[in-house]
C-alpha cells in the first residue's frame, strides 16, 4: 500500500508546481494588462492582491508542511504483514495530548485573527459608503436581465436630467482618476464585476450602492456579471474603456451625445444592394 | 494492483466524458433542419394553407430547398437576392458565384478523412446565429426557440418579413442598417439583447445577412403556400419553375427597393423649448385639428393605458398571471366586452400587444430624436401604431418628439392638464 503515499506525494507536488508556475503564466495568474503580469491596474486592486498573496503564502506553507507530514507518515508507517497475515507492528493508541491540542487550536486562531484584523482597513476603503471618494458620479449603472444600462450625467453633471447619456454595456472612465458609480438593479440580483480592477459588488433591487475604482493604465478591459441571474447571465458582458486623458474622455462622450441627439442622417444612405 | 487498474479505468472514463462533451452536434435531439411553416400542413382558420395537398406541399419544399439549400448546414444564396457584400458567408459553407454555376465550399476546415475538424470554429452567419440567437428566434427564424415561450414580448418571427423598427415607409421592408441597429443596440425594455459587446461589427453584419436570408426564405414559403392554396392539387403545372421564380423575385425586389427609401427628415429637430413641448402635448391629446389618437392608445397620462386596449391589470392577468400555455383559458374567462377588445388588439404575429408607457424614457427602437421621428412618422409595423406622415408635417412630428422626450423628466406635463370634456376638445382644436 506504499503506492498510495507516492500518489499523494505526486498530487501534492503537482499542486505546488502549479502554484509556482502560475505567477509566470498570464492565463493562470490574476487578470492584469497584457505584458504586465504583476501590475494590478487599480489602487485598491493592489491592496487586494497584497492580501491575496499573504493568504496564499500562509496557506501554501501550511499546505506544504501538512503534505510532507502526511506523505512521510503514510510511507513510513504503511502496514506490514508477516507470513500469517498479522501486522508486524501493532498499532498503539494514545489518549490525547492537551498541550498539542492547545497549540494547534491557538496557532490557526492567531493566524485567522491576524488576517481578519489586517484586512479591516482595506475592506473599509473598498466598501464603506462613507469612504466613497468625494467626486461627482461617473455614471449610474442599472443591471437588468440581461444587460448593464449605463447612464452618464452629461454636460450638466447631474444624473436623471434631460441631457443624460444612456448607453448599454459601455463603461468609460479616465486614467488615474477615481470613478464613482451608483449601482442599481431593476429586476433580480446581479453582480457588477470588473476583474481587472478587482471590483465585485452585488446589484440589489431597491438599493443604490456606491462603487468606486480607478486604473493607472489606459485601454480596454472587461465588465461581467458575477451572480447567476437567469439563463442570459453569460450575455451580461460589457466593454470597459479607460481613456488616457480627461480630454479624450470628454471627446468620446460628446461624440456619443451628439449621436444620441441625432435628428438627421449624415450621409445619404441607400446604395445598391445591401 | 487492482486499485491501480481501477484508477486507470476511471481516468480513461473521465477523459472520454470530456472529449464527448466537445462534440456538441452529438448532443442534438435530431438533425438540424428548417421547420415547415404551420400553414404548409395544417388547416388554419382564415389563412391560406395547403392542408391535404401533399403534391403541392412536396413542390413547396423542393422549391425552397432549390432556392435556399437543404438545411442550415447547406445554405444556398438564391440568384437575384441582392447579396453579397459579405452575404455569401452565410453559413459553414461559402457560395462562390451565383445561380447555376455556383460552387458551395465549406468554410470549415476538414480532417483528412473528410469529416469537419471540430477544433475549427464554425463561422459565418448561421454559426453566429446558432450560438447567439437560435435559442430565442428558432432554427427557421419562427421566433420559436426554446426560451421563446417564457418571454414577453415574444421573439420576432422573421418569416413574415415584417420588422417594427424601421426607417423606411410604413409597411416596407427595413433598411439593412435598421436591423444592424436593433441587433447592435438591442431593443431596450425587451429581452432582445444588445450585441455590441458580444460580437464584432463584421460578425453583426454576417448575422444581419442571415436574418434577411431567413426572412426571404420564410416570405417565399408563405407566398408559395398562398399561390398553392388557389392552385389545383392535380395540376402538374401548378407551382412550376416560372411561378416559383416570379414569386422569389417579388420577395427580393421588396427588400432591394427598401434600401433606397430611408426617410431622412429634411428639417433638423426643433429646439426642445417649452413652447414646442406644449404644442406636442396638444397634438398628443388630440386637441388640434388633426385629432390624433395617441392618447386613445397610450392613455391620457401616457402610461400605456388608453381605452383602445384592455386595462393594464387585465392585460397583466392574462399575460403574466399563469402558465403561458393556458393563456387562452384566461382570455376566454374575460367578460364579453373585454374579450372583444382583447381579440381586436394582438400584433401581426398574433401575440398580445401593449402600447408603450411613455413616461419611463425606455424606447425599444432607440431614444435618438431621429428614432422617435421614424416611429411617429412611419408607425410601428405589425404593432398597430399608425404612421402619421404626411398627416402631420415634419415640424409637428418634431414637436411630438420633444413632448415624448420631455415626459420622462416632467411627470406633471400631462397630470397638470385637466381632462378635457368633449365640446372643449373641438374648441381648442381650432385655436392652435
Ligand atoms: Cu446578471
Amino acid at each position: 500500500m506504499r503506492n498510495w503515499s507516492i500518489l499523494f506525494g505526486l498530487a501534492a507536488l503537482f499542486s505546488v508546481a502549479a502554484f509556482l508556475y502560475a505567477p509566470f503564466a498570464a492565463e493562470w495568474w490574476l487578470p492584469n494588462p497584457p505584458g504586465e503580469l504583476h501590475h494590478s491596474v487599480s489602487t485598491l486592486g493592489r491592496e487586494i492582491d497584497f492580501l491575496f498573496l499573504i493568504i496564499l503564502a500562509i496557506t501554501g506553507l501550511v499546505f506544504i508542511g501538512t503534505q510532507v507530514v502526511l506523505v512521510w507518515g503514510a510511507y513510513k508507517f504503511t502496514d506490514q504483514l508477516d507470513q500469517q497475515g498479522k501486522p508486524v507492528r501493532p498499532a498503539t493508541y494514545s489518549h490525547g495530548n492537551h498541550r498539542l491540542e492547545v497549540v494547534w487550536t491557538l496557532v490557526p486562531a492567531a493566524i485567522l485573527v491576524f488576517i481578519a484584523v489586517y484586512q479591516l482597513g482595506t475592506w473599509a476603503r473598498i466598501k464603506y459608503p462613507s469612504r466613497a471618494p468625494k467626486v461627482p458620479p461617473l455614471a449610474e449603472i442599472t443591471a437588468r436581465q440581461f444587460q448593464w444600462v449605463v447612464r452618464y450625467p452629461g454636460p450638466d453633471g447631474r444624473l436623471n436630467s434631460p441631457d443624460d447619456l444612456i448607453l448599454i454595456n459601455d463603461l468609460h472612465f479616465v486614467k488615474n482618476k477615481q470613478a464613482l458609480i451608483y449601482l442599481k438593479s431593476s429586476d433580480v440580483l446581479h453582480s457588477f464585476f470588473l476583474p481587472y480592477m478587482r471590483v465585485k459588488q452585488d446589484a440589489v433591487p431597491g438599493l443604490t450602492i456606491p462603487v468606486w475604482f480607478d486604473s493607472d493604465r489606459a485601454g480596454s478591459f472587461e465588465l461581467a456579471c458575477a451572480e447567476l441571474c437567469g439563463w442570459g447571465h453569460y450575455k451580461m458582458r460589457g466593454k470597459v474603456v479607460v481613456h488616457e486623458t480627461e480630454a479624450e474622455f470628454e471627446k468620446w462622450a460628446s461624440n456619443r451625445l451628439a449621436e444620441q441627439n441625432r435628428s438627421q442622417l449624415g450621409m445619404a444612405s441607400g446604395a445598391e444592394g445591401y | 494492483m487492482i486499485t491501480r487498474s481501477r484508477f486507470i479505468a476511471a481516468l480513461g472514463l473521465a477523459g472520454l466524458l470530456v472529449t464527448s462533451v466537445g462534440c456538441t452536434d452529438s448532443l442534438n435531439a435530431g438533425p438540424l433542419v428548417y421547420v415547415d411553416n404551420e400553414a404548409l400542413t395544417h388547416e388554419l382558420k382564415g389563412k391560406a394553407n395547403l392542408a391535404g395537398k401533399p403534391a403541392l406541399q412536396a413542390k413547396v419544399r423542393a422549391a425552397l430547398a432549390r432556392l435556399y439549400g437543404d438545411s442550415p448546414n447547406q445554405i444556398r444564396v438564391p440568384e437575384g437576392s441582392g447579396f453579397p457584400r459579405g452575404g455569401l458567408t452565410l453559413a459553414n459553407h461559402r457560395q462562390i458565384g451565383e445561380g447555376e454555376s455556383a460552387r458551395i465550399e465549406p468554410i470549415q476546415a476538414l480532417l483528412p478523412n473528410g469529416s469537419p475538424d471540430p477544433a475549427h470554429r464554425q463561422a459565418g452567419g448561421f454559426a453566429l446565429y446558432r450560438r447567439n440567437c437560435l435559442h430565442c428566434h428558432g432554427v427557421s427564424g419562427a421566433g420559436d426557440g426554446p426560451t421563446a415561450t417564457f418571454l414577453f414580448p415574444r421573439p420576432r418571427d422573421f418569416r413574415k418579413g415584417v420588422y417594427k423598427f424601421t426607417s423606411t415607409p410604413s409597411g416596407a421592408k427595413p433598411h439593412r442598417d435598421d436591423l444592424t441597429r436593433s441587433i447592435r443596440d438591442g431593443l431596450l425594455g425587451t429581452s432582445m439583447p444588445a450585441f455590441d459587446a458580444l460580437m464584432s461589427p463584421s460578425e453583426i453584419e454576417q448575422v444581419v445577412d442571415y436574418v434577411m436570408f431567413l426572412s426571404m426564405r420564410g416570405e417565399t414559403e408563405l407566398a408559395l403556400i398562398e399561390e398553392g392554396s388557389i392552385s389545383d392539387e392535380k395540376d402538374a403545372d401548378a407551382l412550376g419553375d416560372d411561378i416559383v421564380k416570379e414569386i422569389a423575385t417579388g420577395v427580393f425586389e421588396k427588400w432591394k427597393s427598401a434600401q433606397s427609401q430611408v426617410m431622412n427628415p429634411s428639417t433638423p429637430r426643433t429646439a426642445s423649448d417649452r413652447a414646442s413641448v406644449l404644442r406636442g402635448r396638444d397634438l398628443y391629446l388630440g386637441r388640434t385639428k388633426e385629432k390624433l389618437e395617441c392618447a386613445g392608445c397610450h392613455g391620457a397620462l401616457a402610461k400605456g393605458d388608453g381605452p383602445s386596449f384592455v386595462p393594464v391589470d387585465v392585460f397583466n392577468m392574462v399575460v403574466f398571471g399563469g402558465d403561458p400555455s393556458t393563456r387562452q383559458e384566461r382570455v376566454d374567462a374575460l367578460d364579453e366586452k373585454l374579450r372583444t377588445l382583447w381579440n381586436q388588439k394582438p400584433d401581426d404575429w398574433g401575440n398580445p400587444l401593449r402600447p408603450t408607457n411613455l413616461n419611463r424614457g425606455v424606447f425599444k427602437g432607440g431614444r435618438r430624436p431621429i428614432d422617435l421621428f421614424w416611429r411617429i412618422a412611419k408607425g410601428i409595423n405589425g404593432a398597430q401604431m399608425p404612421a402619421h406622415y404626411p398627416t402631420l408635417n415634419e415640424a409637428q412630428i418634431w414637436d411630438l418628439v420633444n413632448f415624448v422626450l420631455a415626459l420622462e423628466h416632467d411627470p406633471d406635463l400631462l397630470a397638470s392638464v385637466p381632462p378635457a370634456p368633449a365640446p372643449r376638445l373641438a374648441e381648442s382644436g381650432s385655436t392652435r
Side-chain angles (χ1 to χ4, degrees), chain A residues 7-199:
Chain A
L7 187 69
F8 287 148
L10 284 176
L13 219 69
F14 179 77
S15 312
V16 173
F19 272 94
L20 291 178
Y21 170 69
F24 304 100
E27 265 102 77
W28 289 47
W29 197 237
L30 304 167
N32 282 333
E36 291 188 283
L37 198 51
H38 299 283
H39 178 76
S40 158
V41 296
S42 82
T43 316
L44 292 169
R46 288 189 283 277
E47 278 191 43
I48 294 173
D49 286 7
F50 184 62
L51 287 172
F52 173 79
L53 289 176
I54 289 179
I55 295 175
L56 189 66
I58 295 174
T59 50
L61 287 176
V62 171
F63 179 76
I64 293 173
T66 48
Q67 291 298 306
V68 167
V69 174
L70 178 75
V71 172
W72 176 76
Y75 186 84
K76 181 98 197 285
F77 300 109
T78 325
D79 47 350
Q80 292 165 7
L81 306 179
D82 60 15
Q83 250 74 42
Q84 278 87 49
K86 294 245 178 66
V88 176
R89 254 184 336 209
T92 55
Y93 295 94
S94 67
H95 198 78
N97 181 330
H98 225 82
R99 186 175 297 166
L100 196 63
E101 283 187 26
V102 168
V103 169
W104 80 41
T105 309
L106 283 187
V107 170
I111 296 176
L112 274 181
V113 169
F114 163 73
I115 296 174
V117 173
Y118 192 69
Q119 57 82 45
L120 279 177
T122 306
W123 180 261
R125 281 191 286 282
I126 299 175
K127 294 285 181 188
Y128 282 16
S130 58
R131 299 292 196 89
K134 307 273 175 297
V135 294
L138 170 79
E140 175 190 279
I141 300 187
T142 309
R144 66 177 284 264
Q145 286 173 321
F146 296 99
Q147 53 193 203
W148 304 98
V149 181
V150 189
R151 182 186 270 269
Y152 298 87
D156 71 352
R158 282 188 311 124
L159 278 166
N160 293 308
S161 61
D163 70 348
D164 288 357
L165 171 64
I166 300 168
L167 296 174
I168 308 292
N169 298 337
D170 206 5
L171 178 63
H172 289 240
F173 59 97
V174 183
K175 192 173 115 177
N176 288 333
K177 206 182 146 195
Q178 282 289 332
L180 171 69
I181 61 143
Y182 293 124
L183 186 61
K184 290 181 168 183
S185 166
S186 61
D187 37 44
V188 298
L189 279 182
H190 299 269
S191 183
F192 177 81
F193 182 27
L194 297 173
Y196 287 85
M197 285 91 208
R198 315 281 193 264
V199 173

Side-chain angles (χ1 to χ4, degrees), chain A residues 3-4 7 144-147 149 151 160-162 164 166 168-170 231 234-239 256 259-267 269-271 273-274, chain B residues 4 81-83 85 132 135 147 151 175-176 188-190 193-198 212 216 255-256 259 262 264-269 367-370 398 408-409:
Chain A
N3 293 338
W4 280 110
L7 187 69
R144 66 177 284 264
Q145 286 173 321
F146 296 99
Q147 53 193 203
V149 181
R151 182 186 270 269
N160 293 308
S161 61
D164 288 357
I166 300 168
I168 308 292
N169 298 337
D170 206 5
W231 53 261
Y234 65 98
K235 286 199 158 80
M236 290 187 70
R237 216 163 80 186
K239 290 196 271 197
R256 292 311 304 249
E259 181 58 28
Q260 182 174 290
N261 287 329
R262 179 181 283 285
S263 66
Q264 283 173 305
L265 292 171
M267 302 163 302
S269 67
Y274 309 115
Chain B
R4 188 183 297 164
S81 61
F83 292 117
R85 195 175 112 180
N132 294 293
H135 69 90
T147 33
L151 302 177
H175 187 270
R176 183 189 175 87
L188 198 55
T190 78
F195 285 93
D196 197 18
L198 298 167
M212 288 164 64
M216 290 180 188
W255 276 93
K256 286 196 226 169
Q259 305 310 306
V262 172
N264 191 7
S266 59
T267 49
R269 175 188 183 186
R367 60 178 301 117
R368 300 180 306 169
I370 193 171
W398 284 129
E408 180 189 1
H409 298 284

